Structures are given as structure tokens and as C-alpha cells.
Amino acid sequence: MAVDLGRFGVWHQAEKWGPELASGLEQLGYGALWLGASPDADLRDAEVLLASTQTVTVGTSIVNMWRDDAAAVGASYHRLEEEHPGRFLLGVGIGHRERDGEYKSPYATIVDYLDELDEAKVPVDRRALAALGPRVLKLSAERTAGALPYLTTPEHTRQARATLGRNALLAAEQKVVLETDPDIARSVARDYLAGYLQLSNYTSNLKRLGYTDQDLADGGSDDLVDALVLHGTAVEIADGLKAHLEAGADQVVVQQLGKEGPDLLPGYEALATVLL
């Protein structure tokens, strides 16, 4: 990898990011800050994170191929590279048929988009691909630095590493709730997961992992929710995060639920004491 990500990163949507959270996470030692939820082609939110920090890597997870022109995204990549050399990783992905009205021929669209990023001279090792199933995982290893799977488990990480091979990047996202009461933690988790469990990209992947329609119904079974959203003490959660590393991830991308903005920092600090 041309960009150093470290073993643990943090993922949030733009509205939760801010200079205080970004700089605080960098000081704690997290290796990458991931900007989620389809950032715009101008990548201004990523620019804010880069300007708020000194050395940490910033990545997008992910720029939506249906919404943002590859040439415009490529131009933004080069602007960020000029302003903050060596610190930005462009993550792109196909989105979801339920949310993107023009969604069709997803694999061909991904290939065409990567061709256009080639034309825009975005280096292969400075871009990554949202990937869950075997075909797109293989493509991510062939045409980008590697894969950015979301809403997955250590078992998916193990299978993804086998598909990707030894050298491709694998940055696996994992949600957590720092709460020892399982009922409270599962309530927070189900509130967040509700929309995701309606999206076929994710449900198809979870079924490949052995979960059933019954697991996916009514907000998710306890087994599914506990796998997708770790809860407990920082030490207990850390064990679950490390399971992704043991399964073959290069980085585990942590998303803490149930807090906002700077209020997230104490939880990430508690995790940092046992992870970093």
C-alpha cells in the first residue's frame, strides 16, 4: 500500500465528523479516518478532515459511482493529493439498487468507472473498492489497492482474504456500542441497522454467511445483531475487533454507535487503551 492505514481506523458519516473528533482520534493513534455515506465528488468533507489533522490517512467509504462523475472525482483526488500529499485514499462503490434510481449492470458499471479513474490518472494503489461478494472482491484486488467491506463479520473477513489473496488491502468495518447491558446495546444497534437490513447488497451477503430470512426479520435476531454490532466493555469489544485481524484484515474500521461528535472521543479513548 502506498498509504499507511495502521491496524485500526474510525468510520463515520459526515455529520458526525468535526475538527475536534478528527484531531482527537489522530492523537489517540488511530491510523485512518473514514468518511462514510457517499461523499460528494468535490470531496470537501474529506478536505476538512485532512486540514484538521497532521499525518493520519483520510479515506472515503464510499464515493457513489451512480451519483458522482469519475472525472470530477479524479480532479478532486488530485487537488487533495497536492494539498496533503500521501494522505488520501479514494474509496468508491456501486451503491444500492433500492436507493439509486439508475442502478443497472453493477459489475459493468464498476469496471467502466475504474477505467475512467485510470483516464483521470488516479493511481491504482491510491483507490479502493466497496466489495462484499467474490466477483467484486476479485476485481478490487485486480484494479485497486483492495476492498472496503461494510456491515460484515470476521467470517466474511476470512472468506474475503481467501478471495483477495495475500497482498490486497482488506479494511473491514465493524460497528460497536460501548454498553454492558445487552438489551440497551441491542436497542441502539437495531435502530441503526434498520435501514441496512432492507438493502439487498447487504442481505445477500449475510445470507451467503449463513444467516436466514428469520435472522433478518424484525430488526435482526440477537445472533445477527451481536455479530454486526459488538457490545460490552472496551476489553470485550477489543477482542471482537481483533478477530477481524486474525481472520486476515489489514485494518479494522471501527464505528461507534450511540454518541455524537466529540462525545464519541471517550469511547474511542477507552478502546485505544486496549487496541493501540
Side-chain angles (χ1 to χ4, degrees), residues 40 63 65 70 91 111 115 137 142 155 165 177 188 202 205 213-214 232 258-259:
D40 292 337
V63 172
M65 294 177 178
V111 171
D115 288 343
L137 283 166
E142 294 166 357
E155 175 56 25
V177 177
V188 172
Y202 294 130
N205 185 58
D213 287 332
Q214 186 174 356
K259 303 289 183 180

Side-chain angles (χ1 to χ4, degrees), residues 40-270:
D40 292 337
D42 62 16
L43 301 179
R44 293 296 179 186
D45 289 328
E47 191 170 23
V48 169
L49 292 181
L50 287 162
S52 302
T53 52
Q54 300 297 317
T55 61
V56 70
T57 297
V58 171
T60 51
S61 176
I62 47 84
V63 172
N64 189 317
M65 294 177 178
W66 295 110
R67 301 181 190 178
D68 296 299
D69 176 74
V73 172
S76 297
Y77 164 83
H78 289 294
R79 185 187 79 247
L80 296 186
E81 177 61 18
E82 182 176 351
E83 294 172 353
H84 305 280
R87 294 182 54 206
F88 179 68
L89 180 65
L90 175 64
V92 297
I94 196 62
H96 305 280
R97 67 177 67 251
E98 294 88 352
R99 293 182 177 176
D100 298 298
E102 298 181 1
Y103 197 98
K104 59 183 179 181
S105 304
Y107 187 85
T109 299
I110 295 171
V111 171
D112 290 345
Y113 201 93
L114 294 176
D115 288 343
E116 292 171 10
L117 289 180
D118 287 342
E119 293 176 9
K121 301 190 184 306
V122 176
V124 169
D125 63 358
R126 298 292 295 281
R127 66 198 197 201
L129 184 60
L132 292 172
R135 194 178 185 201
V136 181
L137 283 166
K138 289 178 182 177
L139 184 64
S140 74
E142 294 166 357
R143 298 290 306 277
T144 77
L148 308 174
Y150 185 87
L151 200 72
T152 63
T153 66
E155 175 56 25
H156 180 270
T157 297
R158 185 189 65 77
Q159 295 179 19
R161 174 52 69 197
T163 301
L164 288 166
R166 183 176 300 177
N167 296 323
L169 168 70
L170 179 53
E173 183 267 352
Q174 176 69 63
K175 297 169 183 59
V176 306
V177 177
L178 280 153
E179 171 59 61
T180 56
D181 184 316
D183 292 333
I184 295 173
R186 288 172 184 148
S187 176
V188 172
R190 286 191 171 98
D191 284 346
Y192 194 85
L193 292 174
Y196 291 105
L197 296 183
Q198 305 302 314
L199 300 175
S200 58
N201 286 8
Y202 294 130
T203 58
S204 295
N205 185 58
L206 292 170
K207 288 179 180 179
R208 281 194 296 267
L209 295 174
Y211 294 102
T212 66
D213 287 332
Q214 186 174 356
D215 286 309
L216 296 167
D218 301 321
S221 66
D222 285 353
D223 285 346
L224 176 61
V225 170
D226 290 350
L228 296 178
V229 185
L230 303 175
H231 66 262
T233 66
V235 171
E236 289 167 338
I237 289 172
D239 287 341
L241 296 173
K242 291 174 184 177
H244 282 282
L245 298 178
E246 294 165 0
D250 297 296
Q251 182 181 80
V252 186
V253 183
V254 187
Q255 181 184 179
Q256 184 188 168
L257 306 183
K259 303 289 183 180
E260 301 292 333
D263 291 339
L264 290 158
L265 270 175
Y268 285 119
E269 183 174 9

